[in-house]
Amino acid sequence: EVQLVESGGGLVQPGASLKLSCVASGFTFSDYWMSWVRQTPGKTMEWIGDIKYDGSYTNYAPSLKNRFTISRDNAKSTLYLQMSNVRSEDTATYYCTRGSMGITTGYWGQGVMVTVSS
Amino acid sequence: DIQMTQSPASLSASLGETVTIECRASEDIYNGLAWYQQKPGKSPQLLIYNANSLHTGVPSRFSGSGSGTQYSLKINSLQSEDVASYFCQQYYNYPLTFGSGTKLEIK
């Protein structure tokens, strides 16, 4: 069974940095593209970016690429999202996703909440 | 970016009815279209990919259709467990973009 468990969220002050993790199990992590998607409190879905199975290539939403970095450690079956200079509009639930059927968002984790507030 | 316009925003239907949700892309996405179901308090689950292919384990009462810029999700014989929000997503081109969602309730 595909399992994706996110962690690292919480309350963070504007301008700070935060690193989210996603531990994968139930499949060979190094075989799959992975991505991050966030959902705002108003339920708007926003794709953040994805990373190739070997970590050699990434794609980002243009509005986020200067502040967010996606990386992975295949030896630890873990996906990361480094967020810097966070803003109130980054308040959202962040989901880790795995590829399936040609889409990098085929399977989703349970999500982790990030609240940006002073 | 490709804009996805989804309608309606909310929908109320009776058990056993058939409902349809529409999604329009701002340009041709060549069937690079997925539908997701998100039940209250849960994470999204992939229902349909490639516009009309059913994902593993998804009941056959769900179906997708469309081409070009116009796509739809149909749910036949509505069940109580279908109460959820539904999102479309294009993955034909980066950045991937989502529709605004449709909240489905039972009348």
Side-chain angles (χ1 to χ4, degrees):
Chain A
E1 181 194 0
V2 174
Q3 288 210 336
L4 302 167
V5 180
E6 302 94 337
S7 62
L11 177 64
V12 60
Q13 293 201 332
S17 295
L18 190 67
K19 190 171 187 175
L20 305 182
S21 301
C22 169
V23 176
S25 61
F27 63 97
T28 304
F29 182 71
S30 57
D31 284 350
Y32 291 89
W33 282 73
M34 301 290 293
S35 68
W36 288 96
V37 178
R38 68 184 183 182
Q39 185 172 33
T40 67
K43 302 303 180 186
T44 298
M45 287 284 193
E46 183 177 20
W47 175 82
I48 296 169
D50 59 23
I51 185 166
K52 194 176 178 181
Y53 43 80
D54 61 358
S56 64
Y57 195 74
T58 50
N59 296 290
Y60 293 97
S63 61
L64 299 174
K65 70 178 298 182
N66 290 335
R67 298 189 298 119
F68 287 16
T69 302
I70 297 173
S71 61
R72 64 193 296 162
D73 184 337
N74 284 348
K76 295 182 178 179
S77 296
T78 302
L79 178 72
Y80 301 102
L81 177 66
Q82 177 71 53
M83 306 166 61
S84 62
N85 189 23
V86 296
R87 309 163 179 168
S88 58
E89 53 264 39
D90 295 323
T91 294
T93 297
Y94 287 74
Y95 293 100
C96 158
T97 76
R98 193 207 89 173
S100 177
M101 305 301 180
I103 319 173
T104 57
T105 50
Y107 292 94
W108 297 54
Q110 87 287 351
V112 62
M113 285 193 61
V114 172
T115 303
V116 181
S117 175
S118 54
Chain B
D1 299 5
I2 296 175
Q3 307 302 315
M4 303 301 293
T5 303
Q6 186 174 341
S7 62
S10 63
L11 186 53
S12 182
S14 301
L15 293 175
E17 269 192 50
T18 295
V19 299
T20 301
I21 299 169
E22 308 278 348
C23 209
R24 185 182 78 246
S26 59
E27 61 185 80
D28 196 328
I29 56 172
Y30 300 94
N31 282 18
L33 190 284
W35 291 98
Y36 298 86
Q37 176 192 64
Q38 185 177 29
K39 294 185 177 181
K42 301 293 186 184
S43 55
Q45 307 248 310
L46 177 63
L47 294 176
I48 303 282
Y49 62 97
N50 290 351
N52 56 25
S53 297
L54 216 58
H55 195 230
T56 307
V58 175
S60 58
R61 64 178 182 275
F62 291 91
S63 63
S65 63
S67 63
T69 62
Q70 301 275 2
Y71 299 87
S72 60
L73 171 70
K74 187 163 77 170
I75 310 173
N76 289 318
S77 302
L78 194 64
Q79 309 288 305
S80 57
E81 60 262 35
D82 299 335
V83 168
S85 291
Y86 294 84
F87 293 88
C88 63
Q89 177 211 45
Q90 70 80 20
Y91 55 93
Y92 170 70
N93 209 356
Y94 283 111
L96 279 61
T97 46
F98 291 85
S100 53
T102 296
K103 189 172 183 180
L104 175 60
E105 297 176 333
I106 302 295
K107 233 183 248 183

